[in-house]
């Protein structure tokens, strides 16, 4: 389980402190599982989008005999309306899911790069030549 902890101060306005405890490998595992679940949702959605028009056509009508194309009945009309509205929601959910997974991955990568930069900066600071100032040095 990925841990992201955001702690707050006393609750007063302006008194907010953030603390991070991110375990990148755990975030990666969650993202992998979430991605697989999203793929399953996508496949199911595509299957429904593919079969819904056929279901609407096969629903028929309550009218009698006809020549040419079958008129749309109330069930076919309802399925078509449902498919039209549902398709927009599915596209939104798919995009929101992809954006969320990509955002979490990018944020975790930035966190890791920030840790590496802080470590490099600290190491570079430790390796700098020391500057020794002796008492009275530089006075004439």
């Amino acid at each position: 389980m990925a841990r992201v902890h955001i702690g707050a101060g006393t609750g007063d306005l302006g008194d907010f402190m953030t603390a991070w405890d991110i375990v990148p490998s755990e975030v990666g595992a969650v993202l992998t599982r979430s991605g697989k679940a999203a793929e399953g949702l996508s496949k199911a959605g595509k299957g429904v989008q593919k079969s819904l028009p056929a279901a609407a056509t096969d629903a028929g009508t309550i009218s009698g005999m006809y020549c040419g194309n079958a008129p749309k009945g109330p069930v076919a009309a309802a399925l078509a309306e449902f498919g039209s509205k549902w398709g927009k929601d599915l596209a939104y959910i798919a995009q929101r899911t992809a954006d969320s997974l990509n955002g979490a991955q990018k944020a975790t990568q930035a966190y890791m790069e920030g840790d590496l930069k802080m470590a490099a900066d600290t190491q570079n600071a430790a390796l700098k030549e020391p500057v020794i100032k002796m008492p009275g040095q530089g006075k004439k």
Side-chain angles (χ1 to χ4, degrees), residues 13-132:
L13 289 177
D15 181 25
F16 188 83
M17 187 175 118
T18 304
W20 296 91
D21 181 18
I22 297 175
V23 181
S25 62
E26 292 180 8
V27 172
V30 169
L31 291 175
T32 298
R33 287 193 307 272
S34 298
K36 287 180 182 176
E39 286 174 9
L41 180 61
S42 176
K43 287 178 185 176
K46 288 177 184 175
V48 170
Q49 285 179 324
K50 192 174 186 177
S51 63
L52 199 58
T57 301
D58 293 343
T61 181
I62 56 173
S63 67
M65 299 205 41
Y66 52 87
C67 293
N69 292 336
K72 286 187 179 178
V75 173
L79 286 173
E81 184 177 344
F82 171 78
S84 173
K85 290 183 180 178
W86 181 83
K88 291 175 188 173
D89 289 345
L90 179 63
Y92 174 84
I93 290 168
Q95 188 62 51
R96 172 64 85 185
T97 300
D99 290 350
S100 296
L101 293 174
N102 288 333
Q105 188 275 329
K106 287 178 182 178
T108 303
Q109 184 66 34
Y111 174 83
M112 290 171 31
E113 288 171 3
D115 273 358
L116 292 174
K117 183 176 180 342
M118 284 190 299
D121 290 349
T122 301
Q123 185 176 19
N124 287 335
L127 295 175
K128 285 183 181 178
E129 290 292 328
V131 176
I132 308 295

